[in-house]
């Protein structure tokens, strides 16, 4: 494409970002400002105008989906596919596949996912005789992950915390964890980056090779990088210093994953003489939505100032509604979505419901189901985390790398082969004493006197695996999967069950097979190791089907990078968003600023309309929680909001740092004023409330106590529950807010529940 044609349509700041190619460049890209376009056009400009070879350009993103889209765009613009576009982890896998032997690993290593690491940690805790009630595998894994993100290896960790008793135990676990990973010739996800940095620092010739090759390095979503990723980028780019990073400090929301916001805030310190370019023109949202986002985020002190604006001036005001209960909140959202669909304002695919915690989804799901509204939760159980999928992947991992002890242990009795835990314990002890890998010890089980007849069963297993290994040399991955399913009897066993659950599991295996076929057909040189890498690096959010007709539910963290015409932000209450721990830490703390950035991300997901909702009462962990409106809502100027008004004398929990204070009600759903907004097809707020009153005996709001005389059952009566079936009422206790009914169900056992929500029917 001619350069002049290429640059058409770019605004001034985007154009500056494209043509500023030499030296370090920081492009501060506000939400919806076209950063992907700048990156792709910048790459095309380097190739078409400056004559840079595609081979000499590297672009790093955070998700496979983003990498794939960028590759396609660059190919369409330049007609070349030679640019190295990759995620951090994929890039590091590619480097380690060539040079892992230089840091003491076999280049044919395995990648452990989070479940593999968790299983390994369980074994370590057991073998070290640690109290499982006191020491949890997740705690150790989180600590180790944090250390690796900061480039602290197991030896340095032990030295650093030698005098700290709790950390000393963690350091022992860390040392053992790394020892077993190395014995299995495996890397966990954090290792992929940490070990690549180690490789570069210990093998200057390898680093020099990449520095000479990569004349230009670009990084997307720079605000989400951790210390290890920063060091990797610094090493790759410090030769020619042509580093361009794109990011938005106002969207840095992954501190819990190790993201270090100071990487972007201190960019000019890390890279002197850096050029800073701000992209502030938004191409996604209306000005009303942007003004709300700008006002909220302006309360943060630790940020680089920028103000989003758009040519799409005006827009609908933000809707805010506070309800007595989370039940009413969910009911309103469901009604509003349905009415907008019936009225033609938005289709279901246009709608997204965002919330701070996963626990909020349950009631929203129930109301959507009651209204027959199709929906999908993003961030639920990952396809590759399902039992049957992980089982077959474990077989493939063992075929690819017999040293992978975790995978071997997972499948040695799947399907059941009668090899007991005692036998496996003896094999493990033998492997430890002789210093050989676990699988090799299995192959030599007949030399272990204490194994006895179990050796024959083990031999059958290893014989089968060795057959798979041999066949894998000539078979494609889909063919190998079919062979594994057939010879292990895994699929036949599921078919023999003849249940809906078994059929669903078979369908999942069919989907895995389809994935393998897609990988084979779309990959230039498909291999088993490559397929396992592809699967290991898949992100759940990449699986969203944009053309499907359903409402999307997800946490605010999962929503980053997405956009929807109609967005609902539910649970906008102090104590929930921001949470109590954040509030306790103070308004000016880093945690509060990150929570505010998360709110900013939520607001800027909306293109046309945004609705914020809150509940006065919400049940949390079985207890009723009473909350006031979130301080983040109150930071939005009242002129931008259509909703309730708030009397400052009622609540004093709002943030004192906000320049513009609002008056949203903590006392009345509609603020004591007449608000009767029509939502199409006869749905209005008044009819929604009438509908709620009409069904109150079946499902009243939290805190609305059913009168004893209105219960149509008593102690000793037989009742029916839609989930637990039939049972006998054994007790009815007078609680603070509702009657607590205890029922002894015939099959589900004894359950205690609130009368308002039990929906028990007398038999």
């Amino acid at each position: 494409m001619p350069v002049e044609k290429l640059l058409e349509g770019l605004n001034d700041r985007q154009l500056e970002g494209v043509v500023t190619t030499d030296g370090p460049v920081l492009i501060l890209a506000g939400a919806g400002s076209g950063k992907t376009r700048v990156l792709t056009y910048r790459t095309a400009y380097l190739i078409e105008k400056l004559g840079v070879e595609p081979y000499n350009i590297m672009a790093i993103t955070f998700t496979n989906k983003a990498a794939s889209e960028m590759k396609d765009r660059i190919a369409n613009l330049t007609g070349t596919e030679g640019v190295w576009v990759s995620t951090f982890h994929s890039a590091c896998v590619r480097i380690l596949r060539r040079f892992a032997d230089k840091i003491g690993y076999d280049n044919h290593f395995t990648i452990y996912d989070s479940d593999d690491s968790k299983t390994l940690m369980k074994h370590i805790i057991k073998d070290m005789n640690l109290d499982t009630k006191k020491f949890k595998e997740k705690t150790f894994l989180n600590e180790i992950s944090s250390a690796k993100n900061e480039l602290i290896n197991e030896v340095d960790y032990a030295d650093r915390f030698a005098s700290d008793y709790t950390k000393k135990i963690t350091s022992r676990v860390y040392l053992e964890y790394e020892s077993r990973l190395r014995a299995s010739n495996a890397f966990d996800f954090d290792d992929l980056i940490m070990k690549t940095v180690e490789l570069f620092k210990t093998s200057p010739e390898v680093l020099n090779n990449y520095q000479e090759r990569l004349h230009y390095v670009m990084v997307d979503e720079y605000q989400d990088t951790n210390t290890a990723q920063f060091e990797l980028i610094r090493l790759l780019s410090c030769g020619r210093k042509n580093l361009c990073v794109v990011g938005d400090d106002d969207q840095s929301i992954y501190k819990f994953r190790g993201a270090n916001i100071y990487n972007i805030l201190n960019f000019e310190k890390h890279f002197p003489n850096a050029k800073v370019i701000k992209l502030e023109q938004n191409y996604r949202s209306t000005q009303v939505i942007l003004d709300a986002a700008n006002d909220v985020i302006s309360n943060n002190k630790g940020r680089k100032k920028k103000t989003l604006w758009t040519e799409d001036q005006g827009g609908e005001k933000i809707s805010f509604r506070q309800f007595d209960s989370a039940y009413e909140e969910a009911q309103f959202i469901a009604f509003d979505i349905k009415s907008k669909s019936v009225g033609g304002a938005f289709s279901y695919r246009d709608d997204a419901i965002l919330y701070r915690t996963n626990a909020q989804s349950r009631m929203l799901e129930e109301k959507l189901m009651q209204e027959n509204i199709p929906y999908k939760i993003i961030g639920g159980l990952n396809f590759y985390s399902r039992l049957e999928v992980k089982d077959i992947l474990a077989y493939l991992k063992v075929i690819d790398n017999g040293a992978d002890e975790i995978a071997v242990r997972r499948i040695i009795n799947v399907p059941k082969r009668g090899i007991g835990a005692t036998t496996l314990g003896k094999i493990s002890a033998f492997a430890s004493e002789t210093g050989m890998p676990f699988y090799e010890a299995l192959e030599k089980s007949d030399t272990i006197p204490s194994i006895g007849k179990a050796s024959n069963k083990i031999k059958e297993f290893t014989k089968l695996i060795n057959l798979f290994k041999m066949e894998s040399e000539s078979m494609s991955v889909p063919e190998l999967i079919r062979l594994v399913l057939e010879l292990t009897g895994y699929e036949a066993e599921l078919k023999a069950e003849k249940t809906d659950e078994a059929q669903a599991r078979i369908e999942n295996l069919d989907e895995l097979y389809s994935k393998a076929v897609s990988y084979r057909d779309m990959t230039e040189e498909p291999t088993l190791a490559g397929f396992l890498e592809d699967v290991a690096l898949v992100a759940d959010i990449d699986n969203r089907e944009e053309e499907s007709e359903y409402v999307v539910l997800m946490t605010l963290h999962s929503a980053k990078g997405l956009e929807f015409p109609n967005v609902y932000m539910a649970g906008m209450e102090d104590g929930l968003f921001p949470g109590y721990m954040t509030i306790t830490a103070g308004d000016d703390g880093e945690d509060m600023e990150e929570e505010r950035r998360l709110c900013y991300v939520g607001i800027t997901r909306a293109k046309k309309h945004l609705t914020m909702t809150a509940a006065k009462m919400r049940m949390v962990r079985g207890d009723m929680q009473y909350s006031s409106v979130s301080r983040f809502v109150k930071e939005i100027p009242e002129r931008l909001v259509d909703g309730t008004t708030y009397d400052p004398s009622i609540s004093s929990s709002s943030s004192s740092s906000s320049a513009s204070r609002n008056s949203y009600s903590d006392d009345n759903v509609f603020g004591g004023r007449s608000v009767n907004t029509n939502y199409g097809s006869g749905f209005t707020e008044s009819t929604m409330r009438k509908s709620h009153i009409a069904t109150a005996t079946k499902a009243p709001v939290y805190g609305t106590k059913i009168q004893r005389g209105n219960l149509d059952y008593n102690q000793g009566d037989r009742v029916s529950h839609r989930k637990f079936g039939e049972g006998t009422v054994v007790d009815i206790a007078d609680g603070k807010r509702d009657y607590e009914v205890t029922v002894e169900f015939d099959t589900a056992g004894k359950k205690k529940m609130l009368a308002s929500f039990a929906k028990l029917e007398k038999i």
Side-chain angles (χ1 to χ4, degrees):
M1 180 184 294
V3 175
E4 294 75 16
K5 184 73 173 177
L6 183 71
L7 302 181
E8 284 182 7
L10 296 176
N11 65 42
D12 291 345
R13 297 286 75 76
Q14 289 175 332
L15 179 61
E16 185 180 8
V18 167
V19 302
T20 306
T21 57
D22 294 336
V25 180
L26 167 61
I27 300 178
L28 285 173
S33 61
K35 66 181 179 62
T36 303
R37 191 181 194 192
V38 171
L39 279 176
T40 53
Y41 277 49
R42 189 176 196 271
T43 304
Y45 181 81
L46 287 169
I47 296 170
E48 298 293 332
K49 177 68 174 178
L50 302 186
V52 179
E53 292 294 331
Y55 178 81
N56 298 130
I57 303 172
M58 181 184 200
I60 302 178
T61 70
F62 269 82
T63 69
N64 296 310
K65 181 179 179 181
S68 179
E69 289 179 350
M70 188 177 294
K71 283 181 184 176
D72 291 343
R73 292 191 187 189
I74 292 171
N76 290 334
L77 288 171
T78 66
T80 179
E81 297 181 351
V83 178
W84 188 359
V85 183
S86 174
T87 65
F88 275 100
H89 292 101
S90 294
C92 289
V93 168
R94 182 169 166 180
I95 294 167
L96 291 171
R97 282 289 179 217
R98 293 184 61 192
F99 299 109
D101 58 311
K102 292 186 176 294
I103 53 174
Y105 288 83
D106 189 300
N107 292 351
H108 212 61
F109 54 81
T110 292
I111 302 170
Y112 275 16
D113 63 16
S114 57
D115 285 345
D116 295 328
S117 295
K118 188 175 181 180
T119 301
L120 174 58
M121 188 57 71
K122 282 183 177 179
H123 292 319
I124 292 173
I125 291 173
K126 181 180 178 182
D127 294 345
M128 292 179 68
N129 295 316
L130 296 175
D131 185 350
T132 55
K133 292 182 180 179
K134 185 177 180 181
F135 299 103
K136 304 296 183 182
E137 63 269 9
K138 186 175 181 180
T139 303
F140 285 130
L141 288 171
N142 287 342
E143 182 69 15
I144 291 171
S145 177
S146 296
K148 289 184 177 183
N149 287 338
E150 293 298 320
L151 295 175
I152 303 172
N153 64 31
E154 69 275 22
V155 176
D156 292 338
Y157 188 95
D159 291 341
R160 184 174 297 194
F161 301 109
S163 60
D164 186 318
Y165 173 73
T166 303
K167 297 285 189 180
K168 199 170 185 179
I169 294 175
T170 303
S171 69
R172 287 173 49 212
V173 171
Y174 190 0
L175 286 164
E176 183 63 19
Y177 178 75
E178 288 303 298
S179 174
R180 296 199 187 190
L181 279 175
R182 188 175 287 273
S184 292
N185 193 41
F187 294 129
D188 65 18
F189 256 47
D190 296 314
D191 279 330
L192 296 176
I193 298 174
M194 183 180 182
K195 295 297 183 183
T196 303
V197 171
E198 178 185 331
L199 169 67
F200 285 163
K201 289 187 173 181
T202 56
S203 302
E205 71 282 3
V206 175
L207 175 60
N208 184 66
N209 172 60
Y210 284 100
Q211 288 178 340
E212 285 297 313
R213 172 188 166 179
L214 301 175
H215 297 185
Y216 294 89
V217 177
M218 293 179 285
V219 184
D220 193 11
E221 304 288 4
Y222 188 67
Q223 76 282 346
D224 294 333
T225 56
N226 59 34
T227 300
Q229 291 163 336
F230 165 80
E231 185 62 10
L232 176 73
I233 295 163
R234 188 191 69 80
L235 290 168
L236 283 172
S237 63
C238 68
R240 298 175 183 268
K241 294 183 172 54
N242 292 328
L243 171 66
C244 174
V245 302
V246 181
D248 182 5
D249 53 302
D250 289 335
Q251 295 186 73
S252 180
I253 59 174
Y254 295 123
K255 183 181 178 182
F256 67 98
R257 293 182 186 171
N260 185 351
I261 191 174
Y262 293 102
N263 287 347
I264 191 168
L265 292 180
N266 296 333
F267 185 82
E268 297 96 314
K269 294 180 180 178
H270 297 147
F271 303 95
N273 303 316
K275 174 74 172 179
V276 179
I277 301 168
K278 295 182 181 181
L279 304 183
E280 297 173 292
Q281 184 175 356
N282 178 280
Y283 293 91
R284 174 191 300 158
S285 307
T286 66
Q287 191 62 52
V288 166
I289 292 172
L290 297 181
D291 285 346
N294 288 332
D295 274 285
V296 170
I297 201 63
S298 66
N299 290 280
N300 273 5
K301 297 176 181 177
R303 64 185 293 263
K304 292 178 178 292
K305 186 177 180 181
K306 53 191 165 299
T307 303
L308 297 179
W309 62 275
T310 180
E311 292 180 348
D312 183 12
Q313 292 296 309
E316 296 180 33
K317 287 187 176 183
I318 294 168
S319 297
F320 174 74
R321 300 289 183 269
Q322 183 191 26
F323 300 93
D324 283 337
S325 69
Y327 176 93
E328 281 186 325
E329 176 191 47
Q331 181 168 264
F332 166 78
I333 291 174
F335 275 163
D336 198 47
I337 287 173
K338 190 160 192 175
S339 64
K340 282 179 167 61
S341 175
V342 172
F346 296 107
S347 63
Y348 290 141
R349 75 177 62 178
D350 295 330
D351 302 322
I353 306 174
L354 312 181
Y355 37 78
R356 182 63 182 87
T357 66
N358 279 307
Q360 292 171 250
S361 70
R362 180 188 65 82
M363 194 166 294
L364 291 163
E365 283 189 82
E366 289 180 2
K367 295 311 299 178
L368 292 174
M369 284 189 288
Q370 287 176 19
E371 295 300 323
N372 293 317
I373 297 173
Y375 71 91
K376 181 178 181 180
I377 294 182
I378 302 297
L381 184 62
N382 187 298
F383 174 80
Y384 297 104
S385 295
R386 292 167 184 169
L387 175 67
E388 59 278 2
V389 176
K390 285 193 71 68
D391 284 345
I392 301 308
L393 287 176
Y395 268 103
L396 298 182
K397 287 180 180 180
V398 173
I399 295 167
D400 184 59
N401 173 22
D404 187 347
E405 180 178 344
I406 296 300
V408 174
R409 283 180 175 272
R410 181 183 182 93
I411 62 170
I412 196 167
N413 266 316
V414 178
K416 292 181 180 179
R417 297 185 174 90
I419 304 172
T422 302
T423 299
L424 292 178
K426 293 176 181 178
I427 296 289
S428 184
F430 176 74
S432 180
E433 291 168 4
T434 58
M436 67 176 62
F438 185 78
Y439 184 79
E440 188 178 335
L442 288 174
E443 291 184 302
K444 297 183 178 180
S445 61
D446 56 354
T447 66
I448 307 173
S450 60
I451 295 298
K453 294 181 179 180
S455 175
N456 294 329
K457 298 174 182 177
I458 294 172
K459 280 292 183 184
E460 286 298 316
F461 171 73
T462 56
K463 182 179 178 181
L464 182 64
I465 295 299
N466 290 334
L467 171 64
F468 290 149
K469 285 178 178 288
M470 181 178 68
E471 294 294 339
S472 69
E473 295 176 4
S474 58
M475 279 187 168
S476 67
V477 177
E479 290 172 332
L480 186 60
I481 289 175
R482 283 297 179 208
L483 186 67
V484 169
L485 289 171
E486 181 182 344
L487 296 189
T488 61
Y490 195 102
E491 189 170 32
E493 192 172 273
L494 286 175
K495 288 180 178 178
E497 289 184 24
K498 296 182 178 180
T499 63
D500 291 340
E501 180 181 358
Q503 181 58 39
R505 295 177 66 189
I506 292 171
E507 290 170 359
N508 287 335
L509 293 174
D510 289 340
E511 183 62 25
L512 178 64
Y513 178 80
S514 298
K515 164 67 179 178
V517 171
S518 176
Y519 166 78
R520 179 197 63 194
D521 295 344
M522 299 296 291
T523 306
E524 194 170 16
E525 295 182 8
T527 63
L528 177 56
F531 174 73
L532 292 171
E533 288 171 14
D534 191 62
V535 166
L537 297 171
V538 168
D540 183 54
I541 197 68
D542 289 350
N543 295 330
R544 178 175 170 255
E545 302 168 19
E546 294 185 4
E547 298 306 314
S548 298
E549 186 66 22
Y550 52 70
V551 177
V552 169
L553 284 76
M554 69 180 84
T555 64
L556 286 153
H557 281 100
S558 297
K560 185 172 175 293
L562 303 177
E563 58 183 48
F564 304 89
N566 187 38
V567 170
Y568 299 84
M569 291 176 66
M572 298 300 294
E573 304 135 29
D574 267 2
L576 182 59
F577 188 35
Y580 281 126
M581 294 293 288
T582 301
I583 293 172
T584 303
D587 284 348
D588 298 327
E590 289 186 5
D591 290 345
M592 183 64 77
E593 296 216 342
E594 175 141 348
E595 287 286 282
R596 188 174 282 109
R597 291 194 293 269
L598 189 57
C599 182
Y600 173 85
V601 166
I603 294 171
T604 54
R605 297 314 92 195
K607 297 171 68 175
K608 298 297 182 184
H609 189 73
L610 172 65
T611 300
M612 291 180 161
T613 60
K616 295 179 184 178
M617 296 176 290
R618 187 180 301 274
M619 186 167 285
V620 180
R621 301 182 187 89
D623 295 324
M624 197 62 68
Q625 178 175 293
Y626 298 84
S627 302
S628 60
V629 174
S630 170
R631 62 198 63 204
F632 300 148
V633 175
K634 298 170 187 175
E635 290 172 355
I636 301 173
E638 191 172 355
R639 62 180 173 80
L640 302 175
V641 180
D642 168 28
T644 63
T645 56
Y646 157 76
D647 182 350
S649 65
I650 297 173
S651 173
S652 58
S653 63
S654 61
S655 170
S656 60
S657 63
S658 177
S660 58
R661 189 63 52 219
N662 251 321
S663 53
Y664 302 125
S665 176
D666 286 323
D667 182 57
N668 186 284
V669 174
F670 300 107
R673 60 193 177 94
S674 177
V675 180
N676 188 32
T677 306
N678 194 301
Y679 289 88
S681 190
F683 284 93
T684 64
E685 289 174 2
S686 60
T687 56
M688 187 279 287
R689 287 194 287 176
K690 288 177 182 177
S691 172
H692 176 68
I693 293 169
T695 59
T697 56
K698 292 184 178 180
V701 299
Y702 285 128
T704 303
K705 184 173 179 178
I706 293 179
Q707 298 300 313
R708 186 65 172 257
N710 290 340
L711 290 176
D712 62 356
Y713 51 82
N714 288 298
Q715 189 171 341
D717 286 344
R718 293 283 292 173
V719 293
S720 175
H721 186 275
R722 65 177 183 176
K723 179 179 179 181
F724 302 126
E726 296 182 0
T728 303
V729 178
V730 296
D731 186 42
I732 301 177
D734 190 355
K736 292 180 179 179
R737 286 276 168 184
D738 200 353
Y739 283 102
E740 295 178 353
V741 183
T742 304
V743 181
E744 183 70 49
F745 289 101
D746 298 343
T747 57
K750 186 178 292 186
K751 303 289 183 183
K752 182 183 289 187
M753 57 197 78
L754 295 177
S756 302
F757 299 96
K759 300 182 182 179
L760 297 171
E761 295 183 3
K762 185 177 179 180
I763 300 175

